[in-house]
Amino acid sequence: MRYRLGMLSLEQARDAILAGITPSTTTQTVPLAQAHGRFTARELRAQVDNPAFDNSAMDGYAVRAADLVAAGFVLPLRGECRCGGAPGKLAAATAVRIFTGAPMPEGADTIVIQEDVKLEGDKVIFPKSAQPGSHLRRRGEDFRRGDALYHPGRKLSAYDLALLSAAGVAEIPVYPRARVLVAATGDELAAPGTPLQPGQIYESNRLATLLLLRELGMDAVDGGTVRDDPVALRAWLKSSTDYDFVITSGGASVGDHDLVKQVFGEIGAIKFWKAKIKPGKPIAFGRVGTRTHFFALPGNPVSSLVTFKLFVEPALIAWHHGVSRLPQLAATAANDFRRHPGRTEFLRARLVAENGKLLATALRGQGSHMLGPLRETNGFIRVEADSAGFRQGESVVVVPLSTEF
C-alpha cells in the first residue's frame, strides 16, 4: 500500500486524481438524437455550409441596389420568393417579394423590409434611405462545410445537438458511459422504511451518489450496503473490477472500524488519502486491478456530497477525455461568517441574484452531519485555508450547484 503522506491541498488532491485517471480507449457511434449528455470521441465537422445559400433576413423586397438608384427608387413588382423554392434570376430593373429565410434570386443584392415601402398597383416605392446589402444572410457566414465544430471530450448539450443537426451531422462518435459501482459501508446503516435498531441510522449517501452520477450521464449501478467486516469488504471489492469506477462512502478515516481504506490498500493501490478541506478530509483515491478507479468518500452525508463535487465529478469527466474546471463566481456576502483558519472550507449557501448582483448567504448548520440546510443550498461559499472568514458586504467566491438563483 503506497500513498502520499500528509494532507494534500484541494489543488494537489485534484491534480493527483487527474494524473491517476486512465481515460477510456473505446468508442461507439450513436444517432444524433441519442447523443445528449455524451462526450465526443472525435472531431465533429460541418457537412454543409450554414446558411446553405444567400437568403433574406426579413420579410420584404429583393432588388439590385444599382437598379433601385437608377429607377428613382420605384420598381415594378415581378413575382415572389418563398422558403423552399428555387427563385431563379432577378429580371433587370424589377423587385421581387421575398420572405424571411427564402433564397435570394440571382442578381439581387439588397433586401428592403416591407415596413419601409409603399405599394401602388404593381409598383413598389422604396425609401431613398435604403442601404445596399441590407438584411442579407450570406452563404457560409456562420460556418462552412468542413469546419471543425467540436473537439473530442465535449459533453454535448441540447444546444450542441441543434447545431450539429443544422450542420448535417447524423451520427456522433462518443465515449461509452463510465460504469460506476456505488456502495455504502457501515453496520449502523439501515434502509429507509425499515425499523431502526438501537444505534442505527438511515442511509442516504448511496442514493445521492447514484443520482448525481446519473445527472452526469454515467451508467450508475447500485452495489448496496456492505458491512464493516474485512472479509465482506474484501470480497465486494474483488468483485468490482469489471467497473470503470467504484465509489464507497464511509470507512475512509482512521478509526478501528474504518475498514474500507485498509482493505482497499491490501488489494489495490492508494494514490492518496486525506485532503485539506472542510468538510471532507477523509477521502481515499486509487486503483483496484488494471482498470478500476476507486474513491472512498467520507461517511458524513455533507462531506460525501462535497467530495463528490470536488473530486469525483472531475475524474469522471477526465475519463471521458473532457476537461473539468471548478465553476467559481464572485458574489457578495449577505451575512457574516467567522472561523479559525486551517482548511479550505466549502460552506453550504443560498445564492440569490438581486438587482444585477449575486448575493451569497452562509446557511446556519454547517456541521458535516447536518442535512437540513440542503433545503436551501444551491451553491457553496469557498473560504481559503488561511482565511478567518468574511463580513457582510465583502466579496466572496462561490461554487454554484444550480443555475436557479
Side-chain angles (χ1 to χ4, degrees):
M1 172 173 71
R2 294 182 180 180
Y3 50 83
R4 294 182 64 171
L5 298 176
M7 285 192 291
L8 303 187
S9 69
L10 171 64
E11 288 72 21
Q12 288 173 330
R14 284 170 64 91
D15 289 346
I17 288 169
L18 295 179
I21 296 297
T22 301
S24 172
T25 57
T26 61
T27 65
Q28 56 188 193
T29 300
V30 299
L32 179 69
Q34 296 178 19
H36 186 241
R38 305 296 295 271
F39 289 81
T40 56
R42 289 204 298 272
E43 188 175 69
L44 301 180
R45 293 183 175 272
Q47 303 301 300
V48 294
D49 296 341
N50 189 55
F53 42 79
D54 291 352
N55 67 84
S56 176
M58 302 286 285
D59 289 347
Y61 296 85
V63 299
R64 185 181 291 107
D67 289 346
L68 196 62
V69 174
F73 295 91
V74 179
L75 293 173
L77 181 61
R78 297 290 186 268
E80 67 179 24
C81 299
R82 293 179 176 273
C83 293
K89 187 174 182 178
L90 177 70
T94 66
V96 171
R97 182 82 166 102
I98 195 167
F99 298 92
T100 304
M104 290 287 289
E106 183 183 349
D109 60 13
T110 299
I111 301 295
V112 182
I113 62 175
Q114 62 185 15
E115 294 89 344
D116 291 346
V117 308
K118 293 181 181 179
L119 295 177
E120 291 185 356
D122 66 348
K123 293 184 181 297
V124 187
I125 302 172
F126 295 90
K128 293 183 179 180
S129 58
Q131 296 295 313
S134 296
H135 307 299
L136 296 184
R137 298 168 176 164
R138 293 297 187 185
R139 176 173 182 164
E141 69 178 13
D142 186 14
F143 52 79
R144 294 278 187 181
R145 179 180 180 181
D147 283 354
L149 301 177
Y150 295 100
H151 297 289
R154 169 75 174 227
K155 186 177 182 181
L156 294 171
S157 68
Y159 302 116
D160 296 327
L161 296 183
L163 189 158
L164 290 167
S165 182
V169 179
E171 294 183 325
I172 310 290
V174 297
Y175 293 106
R177 300 181 191 276
R179 297 187 69 239
V180 188
L181 182 65
V182 179
T185 66
D187 292 338
E188 76 278 16
L189 303 178
T194 61
L196 287 176
Q197 301 300 317
Q200 286 191 321
I201 60 172
Y202 288 125
E203 196 277 315
S204 63
N205 292 354
R206 191 172 89 253
L207 174 62
T209 301
L210 288 166
L211 294 177
L212 289 170
L213 287 167
R214 289 164 187 163
E215 285 183 0
L216 290 172
M218 306 301 138
D219 180 7
V221 178
D222 188 351
T225 301
V226 186
R227 303 189 317 277
D228 281 332
D229 174 71
V231 175
L233 280 170
R234 195 174 293 111
W236 186 88
L237 282 173
K238 286 182 177 179
S239 71
S240 69
T241 54
D242 287 337
Y243 292 86
D244 302 304
F245 287 83
V246 171
I247 303 173
T248 65
S249 63
S253 191
V254 293
D256 292 341
H257 296 285
D258 289 328
L259 300 175
V260 173
K261 180 175 64 65
Q262 299 173 35
V263 174
F264 172 34
E266 294 173 10
I267 63 175
I270 293 179
K271 185 78 172 179
F272 77 88
W273 70 286
K274 292 195 300 186
K276 197 174 181 180
I277 63 169
K278 182 181 179 180
K281 179 175 70 172
I283 172 176
F285 167 73
R287 299 285 285 269
V288 175
T290 58
R291 59 170 287 191
T292 304
H293 305 82
F294 184 95
F295 282 96
L297 303 184
N300 279 324
V302 177
S303 300
S304 180
L305 293 172
V306 169
T307 51
F308 183 96
K309 180 66 178 178
L310 297 180
F311 303 123
V312 179
E313 184 174 311
L316 291 165
I317 293 173
W319 187 86
H320 292 89
H321 296 254
V323 176
S324 174
R325 297 178 179 86
L326 188 65
Q328 298 186 131
L329 300 173
T332 300
N335 58 351
D336 296 345
F337 178 81
R338 308 307 294 172
R339 64 159 213 164
H340 295 294
R343 289 183 277 165
T344 302
E345 187 167 2
F346 291 85
L347 307 173
R348 278 152 285 167
R350 180 175 64 250
L351 308 182
V352 178
E354 290 185 358
N355 300 319
K357 179 186 293 187
L358 184 60
L359 301 178
T361 302
L363 298 170
R364 293 185 63 185
Q366 291 290 335
S368 61
H369 64 295
M370 301 179 75
L371 291 168
L374 293 180
R375 289 171 294 184
E376 300 180 80
T377 299
N378 60 354
F380 299 133
I381 298 174
R382 176 173 175 165
V383 184
E384 298 302 332
D386 60 355
S387 171
F390 48 83
R391 298 291 187 187
Q392 181 179 358
E394 291 182 350
S395 180
V396 293
V397 173
V398 299
V399 178
L401 300 177
S402 164
T403 57
E404 298 178 0
F405 300 151

